Amino acid sequence: TVDASTLEQVASALAKIAPDRVRQEILPPMFAVLRGDDKRERAQTIRRLCIMSAAFGSVVDELETCFRDETPDRKLEVMKNADWLKSHSDRFVPLLTACLEDEDDNVAMQASNSLSDFGGAARPAVPALLKFLKKWLPASDERELVLFDLSMIY
């Protein structure tokens, strides 16, 4: 298996050398897996796409569609890999901020955690994070996690 940093370097090189071939031959099958039902394969593909997102902008469009999915699986997988999406904070911080109000507590908590990966770029999310924190005030473990996430932004 190729590690994340090697995949990022290869994607960056391919973006410079043969971007059209990647867009035509590599990405379409990956996007098909993204919409597929095999959870394990989809999770691996989402991670790879997140890693490749800095080199290929069209990947970001596909990853954004995961946030419109009715089930939490796809958006959770993207959020778990948010550290690879920092260069797209203008697009993902608003999506993650909206997820703080998700009915699924796992999605909302992961959104809080993922926003911390964006550091200062997530400052627009602070009011929503404070509102989210108030929701979790009675639960001390969760409150501590949200406070940690806020500390990573400031």
Side-chain angles (χ1 to χ4, degrees), residues 86-114:
K86 291 179 203 169
S87 62
H88 306 290
S89 61
D90 59 321
R91 293 174 76 174
F92 285 98
V93 167
L95 291 169
L96 293 167
T97 303
C99 286
L100 291 171
E101 296 182 14
D102 199 284
E103 291 176 8
D104 185 316
D105 288 345
N106 291 325
V107 170
M109 195 56 100
Q110 184 62 53
S112 172
N113 183 265
S114 296

Side-chain angles (χ1 to χ4, degrees), residues 10-150:
V10 170
S12 178
L14 285 170
K16 294 172 187 167
I17 299 167
D20 292 335
R21 283 193 72 186
V22 172
R23 284 187 198 96
Q24 293 168 4
E25 298 173 27
I26 305 295
L27 294 179
M30 292 178 82
F31 295 159
V33 171
L34 186 67
R35 293 183 280 280
D37 293 327
D38 184 330
K39 287 183 180 185
R40 184 170 179 263
E41 187 176 7
R42 187 175 60 228
Q44 291 172 346
T45 299
I46 286 173
R47 178 165 174 71
R48 290 178 187 130
L49 288 170
C50 287
I51 293 167
M52 294 172 70
S53 68
F56 296 96
S58 60
V59 168
V60 176
D61 297 334
E62 287 293 323
L63 291 171
E64 279 184 335
T65 66
C66 295
F67 286 86
R68 293 189 290 275
D69 199 351
E70 291 178 17
T71 61
D73 298 344
R74 288 176 178 86
K75 64 180 120 181
L76 281 168
E77 286 302 330
V78 173
M79 287 191 270
K80 288 175 186 174
N81 291 286
D83 55 326
W84 292 102
L85 301 171
K86 291 179 203 169
S87 62
H88 306 290
S89 61
D90 59 321
R91 293 174 76 174
F92 285 98
V93 167
L95 291 169
L96 293 167
T97 303
C99 286
L100 291 171
E101 296 182 14
D102 199 284
E103 291 176 8
D104 185 316
D105 288 345
N106 291 325
V107 170
M109 195 56 100
Q110 184 62 53
S112 172
N113 183 265
S114 296
L115 281 163
S116 70
D117 289 332
F118 288 90
R123 284 194 179 126
V126 169
L129 279 164
L130 290 171
K131 182 180 173 184
F132 181 70
L133 178 62
K134 288 177 186 174
K135 174 184 173 184
W136 290 97
L137 278 175
S140 62
D141 290 344
E142 287 81 1
R143 184 182 65 237
E144 296 301 318
L145 289 171
V146 176
L147 285 170
F148 175 77
D149 296 339
L150 276 166

